[in-house]
Amino acid sequence: MNVCILTEHNHLGRCFDVVSWQMECVVQGIIETQHVDALEVLLHGLCGIPKERIRIHELCLKSGPNLGVVPSEIHLLCDLAHPTPSWTVRHVGGAMRGAGAEQISVLVRTVVESKVSSNVLRFFYALSYKLDHEILKVGFSFTFNRGVLINVSVTSAHKMAKLHATDEAVPITPNIHMVEITAPATAENYNDVVAAVSSFCEYLAPLLHLSKPGVSTGIVPTAAAAAASLMSNSAK
Ligand SMILES: *[C@@H]1O[C@H](CO)[C@@H](O)[C@H](O)[C@H]1NC(C)=O
C-alpha cells in the first residue's frame, strides 16, 4: 500500500511505502548490565540460533503546537548494524482499552511502520514536528517462533554529545539494560499472542520482571542467583 502525504509545500510531499499497519503486543523490563550475559545464555538456549546484533539510531519527533491537533509523536529508526541501514518511520498508536485490557499484563497497541528515504527528517520538520530527543540503542535481539513470532531485544540506551554523532555515543545508564518483548498481532489473534507472550515471560522470570511499558517494575531479587547458575551451567 502507498500513503501519500501532501503538505502545503507540495514539493515536500513524499510517498511512504507502508510496510505494516498492525497491532503489536509488548512488555518491557530492566536488567542489571552485569546479568546481561546470563540473559543471553538463557535466550540462546531457548532459541538455538545466535543473537542478532542491533545498533538502532532513534529520533523521536513531536508535533508542534501550531498544528492544532492532538499532540503526536513519531520515531525514526535506523539499525546501523544492518548491512544496508535504512530508515523506518514508526507511529505507535493508543493502547487497546476495555475487554479486560486492564487485567492483562501485556500491552496491545496499534503500530504503523513505513520505510522512508533518509531526507524524511526535513519533511517532518515541514509538518511542524520537532526533534524531541535522539538515542542510540546498542545490544542484541533474538526471534522465537512460538506459533507467533516473538522478538526479544536487550539494549542499552546511549546519548549523543553532538546531534547525530552516533560514533560518540555514551551509555545513559551504564548499569541498566532495557529488555523489550514484542510480537505482531491482529484484531483476530491478539488474545493468542498475549497468551504466547505471557507464557514466554515466565522463562525469563528468574532474571527479570516484565510488564506493560510505563509500569516500572525494577530489578528482581532472584536475578543474581539465577544469573550465577546460568553462567556456571554454560561454563560446563
Ligand atoms: C527485533 O527487534 C529489534 C528491536 O526493535 C529489531 O532491531 C529487530 O530487527 C527485530 N528482529 C526481527 C527479526 O524483527
Side-chain angles (χ1 to χ4, degrees):
M1 186 183 12
N2 254 350
V3 172
C4 291
I5 301 176
L6 295 177
T7 63
E8 297 154 43
H9 318 280
N10 264 336
H11 60 285
L12 280 174
R14 212 176 287 290
C15 291
F16 292 70
D17 278 331
V18 174
V19 179
S20 68
W21 195 307
Q22 64 179 23
M23 294 163 87
E24 75 174 8
C25 297
V26 57
V27 287
Q28 290 178 343
I30 55 170
I31 187 168
E32 286 179 278
T33 300
Q34 55 177 331
H35 302 322
V36 166
D37 287 346
L39 178 60
E40 186 186 334
V41 165
L42 176 61
L43 291 170
H44 191 185
L46 290 169
C47 184
I49 54 168
K51 64 183 176 188
E52 192 185 317
R53 285 184 190 284
I54 50 179
R55 200 176 147 77
I56 300 171
H57 185 190
E58 177 169 337
L59 305 175
C60 174
L61 303 174
K62 292 192 176 165
S63 66
N66 53 336
L67 214 55
V69 291
V70 188
S72 155
E73 180 177 316
I74 56 145
H75 294 258
L76 295 177
L77 305 152
C78 183
D79 187 355
L80 303 173
H82 196 273
T84 53
S86 65
W87 287 91
T88 295
V89 60
R90 181 174 164 89
H91 179 267
V92 174
M96 200 180 67
R97 287 158 202 245
E102 284 72 32
Q103 269 86 59
I104 56 177
S105 55
V106 177
L107 185 79
V108 184
R109 63 190 181 190
T110 54
V111 177
V112 181
E113 269 191 2
S114 172
K115 287 279 170 210
V116 290
S117 62
S118 55
N119 54 0
V120 75
L121 198 52
R122 273 204 350 241
F123 170 74
F124 282 107
Y125 287 160
L127 284 176
S128 303
Y129 279 85
K130 292 190 172 53
L131 183 63
D132 187 68
H133 62 271
E134 169 178 57
I135 56 168
L136 184 72
K137 288 179 178 168
V138 182
F140 57 86
S141 71
F142 284 95
T143 308
F144 298 85
N145 191 342
R146 298 283 150 120
V148 297
L149 288 179
I150 297 178
N151 181 334
V152 182
S153 72
V154 183
T155 56
S156 101
H158 289 52
K159 62 179 178 206
M160 271 71 89
K162 281 184 297 201
L163 203 60
H164 311 329
T166 49
D167 291 339
E168 297 164 39
V170 289
I172 299 170
T173 50
N175 300 330
I176 295 290
H177 271 62
M178 177 88 180
V179 181
E180 187 175 71
I181 302 188
T182 55
T186 65
E188 285 73 43
N189 78 350
Y190 72 84
N191 274 322
D192 298 338
V193 180
V194 164
V197 169
S198 302
S199 73
F200 186 84
C201 290
E202 285 169 26
Y203 291 113
L204 311 186
L207 280 177
L208 75 158
H209 275 312
L210 290 150
S211 62
K212 292 179 182 179
V215 179
S216 80
T217 46
I219 55 174
V220 298
T222 53
S229 131
L230 279 158
M231 293 313 281
S232 70
N233 285 341
S234 78
K236 279 176 199 150

